[in-house]
Amino acid sequence: MSRDSAPLVNLISDVSLILATCLALSCSRGGERGGTEPSPPSGATAALTPSPTPLPLDPEAVPRPAEGDAASPTLVFVDGLPQKMDPEAAVREGFTIISLRDDWTPYIFSEFTDAAGDILPNRYRQIYIGLANELTDGDGRALDATDRNYLEVFGIPPALSLVRRRLLEDEEKACHKAIDYALLATVDRVPLPTPAEAKSKAGQIAGLRRRLEKARIAGHHETIAALVTADNTLADEAAAVETFDQRDLALKHAIARLKCDGHLGESTRFRVDPNDGHFRDALQSFGMRHMVYEYPGLRTGTMKAMALPPLESNHAQFVRALRERVVDAVHILEDGTATMDGEPATWVNAAGERVPVENLVEKFTQAAIEQLGVETPEKLLAFLRQHPAEDFKFLNVALRLPPLPEYYSEHMELDLIVDRGDVWYEPAWKDDGVLYTQGRDRMPRLHLYVRHGEQRFPLVKWPTTIGGWRAEQAPNGYEYYRYKNSDVGRRILRQIIAGPTWVAPPSTPIRGLVKNANVHGSRERIVNYDEMGPGYLSAYGLVAGYFFMPGGEGRPDGDNGIRAHGSSDYLSITNSSKFSHGCHRLWNWAAVRLYDFILQHRHKKIIGNRPLNAVRQFYKDEYVYELRLQTRGFQFELTPPLQIDVLEGRIRGRVRSPIDGYVRKPDVIYPPGPDPSPKGGTEP
């Protein structure tokens, strides 16, 4: 069976109705031939003078549009107190408009218009809004009352009215008051053994406890601490018991936190076991809500999030969501990751001073937080109580943010460098078929550089991926290993696709093209559009940049299928044993920031939706499935393209160049005769 477009159509209709009175507001950005960019509302008239006195912190005093009025009040915040001002006047006076609205999306999913003034459909825009507002799932279906969208790890921060709802709901929960957050803060991690391992460990600790107690009584000591003071040889055993007890108590409070937050149902039957599905899913859900990049468990990052009381953790979520809106509105990228020769990157300003490449993301975010008056969880609680959920259908704020560095301009000279790091071409398994980890001390990195006068320096340096040995289905129907190389050399970035679709080639293993899903109350196997997109779980994530081999002299650009794109497999990006199929993966939020920044600082054409209408049928487990892909996504074209250099990296191992062809999997029995060739025919 296949999934048609009906869920998408219903989603667009439902969300459009909900947001019918919302009018997008942003500064005008001049687009080129092929489309124009968002502009301020036509209803903006003569400038108004700011109120002589700040509006009081009273929900009834906040200016709101009349029923049916699409006008969007803009509040200028001074020392945390709002004043009403005309948006055009605010921009003229140096304020920056930041959208706090529920229909906000990053620039790549904005509404653009063509030369005739007609809207260019951006198919994924309404899906993004539905996901951010916790209205729908990735398939466009309405969420059940108990379902939650925790999608920050996938590049979709929650709408601010959703943050508000979560914060106020948590404030009303009595169960949070019974959790010892101070205790959780003292525990770095809690190992999660299997039941058999837990039983064995408990037995060991019981033995140590009996030995210590016996020694305490024999030595006439009042406490174990006094015993250890008198006999230091027992210090390690006492510490082991203390650590066990502390972790055991922390585990109980961590489980209470999972239940109180709704990740574990009160009636859910589970075992404290890393292999227990309910417990693992609860830990993963908690990590996704708090944007923890760890495998499900009670590791360091998860424990730090566990130790934050709900008011603090919700404040952190609000700041993260606000950060993406600030970054998008101001068109900045620098986040403190840029380095040169292992040292923080610097540049020389017009005054001849050598200064660091600042962390503009945090600098501007903190300025926004201070001007909104939400620096602390308590102040945020007051702010959100002042603004009911309805306000976030229309609310924009005008903030006076710091000046941009002098190297900023409308069209910046940018280029990308991809350092492949350590590269292994030889197969990752021994002659007996046992897989092993090929060590990588130097991991792949993606750098974005800017040229300013005679200077060239990096703005960001982010982890990425390169290709490696991956399973591939050959024409004979059997799976083999094949080395998926990441191209080396000069490339260009001409196309950027928002909400991209990945077209699975015939070599894609069929097992990845289907998934289990609930359909009309029953569990069925359907086409796995999650993998192909458009969507945050797709192989290309939320946005992809196409790495082309530059053409010239009448030759078109060449395309080997290499992209730098967002990825839902966010843990693979920093894992030394994980590889892509040749592309350069980025965290979805990083990919969105990168391409937002490039598009807002380079000349471009806005092409719009690229129809695809691809149809494919395939056979799996006695069923025939039909796959339909309607679009490649929403296309932008850089004019001129941006230069890319992919560095060879450091070749490791005995094999010095990529192996071209299939390599048999050690655990598969293949048919007699020569193996097929990826290029057709058979291997000699």
Side-chain angles (χ1 to χ4, degrees), residues 461-535:
K461 176 184 178 182
W462 288 336
T464 186
T465 60
I466 60 171
W469 288 97
R470 305 305 302 259
E472 189 168 292
Q473 183 167 294
N476 65 359
Y478 285 80
E479 280 191 19
Y480 294 77
Y481 282 127
R482 189 180 178 198
Y483 190 83
K484 310 296 288 186
N485 193 37
S486 296
D487 289 354
V488 173
R490 177 64 53 85
R491 297 293 183 267
I492 57 171
L493 176 64
R494 189 186 303 277
Q495 289 184 12
I496 296 172
I497 306 290
T501 296
W502 174 68
V503 181
S507 60
T508 303
I510 294 296
R511 55 186 162 82
L513 299 182
V514 295
K515 70 172 183 176
N516 294 318
N518 291 319
V519 179
H520 303 302
S522 63
R523 197 72 172 168
E524 296 186 21
R525 302 196 78 185
I526 64 174
V527 174
N528 184 15
Y529 285 98
D530 290 346
E531 183 75 8
M532 289 159 279

Side-chain angles (χ1 to χ4, degrees), residues 237-252:
E237 295 179 10
V241 172
E242 183 180 4
T243 298
F244 179 87
D245 290 343
Q246 187 182 37
R247 286 177 171 176
D248 186 58
L249 186 57
L251 175 61
K252 291 181 173 62

Side-chain angles (χ1 to χ4, degrees), residues 95-127:
F95 289 90
T96 299
I97 306 296
I98 307 292
S99 171
L100 303 189
R101 295 155 48 120
D102 287 342
D103 66 344
W104 174 87
T105 68
Y107 176 82
I108 56 172
F109 299 124
S110 296
E111 286 189 335
F112 301 94
T113 56
D114 61 19
D118 297 324
I119 292 177
L120 294 170
N122 195 328
R123 181 183 182 189
Y124 200 69
R125 173 179 171 79
Q126 297 298 340
I127 298 177

Side-chain angles (χ1 to χ4, degrees), residues 201-221:
K201 183 67 174 179
Q204 294 174 14
I205 294 299
L208 292 178
R209 204 185 302 275
R210 287 193 298 270
R211 179 181 173 185
L212 290 169
E213 182 62 14
K214 184 177 179 180
R216 183 192 69 80
I217 294 172
H220 304 289
H221 299 289

Side-chain angles (χ1 to χ4, degrees), residues 592-610:
V592 170
R593 284 190 195 177
L594 175 68
Y595 292 121
D596 263 15
F597 179 84
I598 290 174
L599 287 168
Q600 290 167 329
H601 292 289
R602 297 284 291 188
H603 299 318
K604 61 189 171 293
K605 298 176 184 177
I606 302 170
I607 307 299
N609 181 60
R610 283 188 57 188

Side-chain angles (χ1 to χ4, degrees), residues 324-394:
E324 300 310 315
R325 295 169 184 244
V326 170
V327 167
D328 185 74
V330 188
H331 319 159
I332 54 178
L333 188 68
E334 299 90 318
D335 61 358
T337 60
T339 60
M340 297 178 69
D341 299 323
E343 298 295 328
T346 61
W347 61 289
V348 179
N349 62 20
E353 303 165 321
R354 180 164 292 279
V355 294
V357 175
E358 288 189 274
N359 185 341
L360 297 184
V361 171
E362 286 311 305
K363 180 178 181 178
F364 280 71
T365 302
Q366 289 304 314
I369 291 170
E370 291 170 7
Q371 289 188 51
L372 286 173
V374 293
E375 307 97 311
T376 67
E378 293 74 21
K379 288 185 176 181
L380 175 63
L381 180 60
F383 178 89
L384 294 178
R385 282 175 172 162
Q386 179 193 5
H387 294 284
E390 289 296 308
D391 280 15
F392 294 96
K393 289 185 177 180
F394 65 81

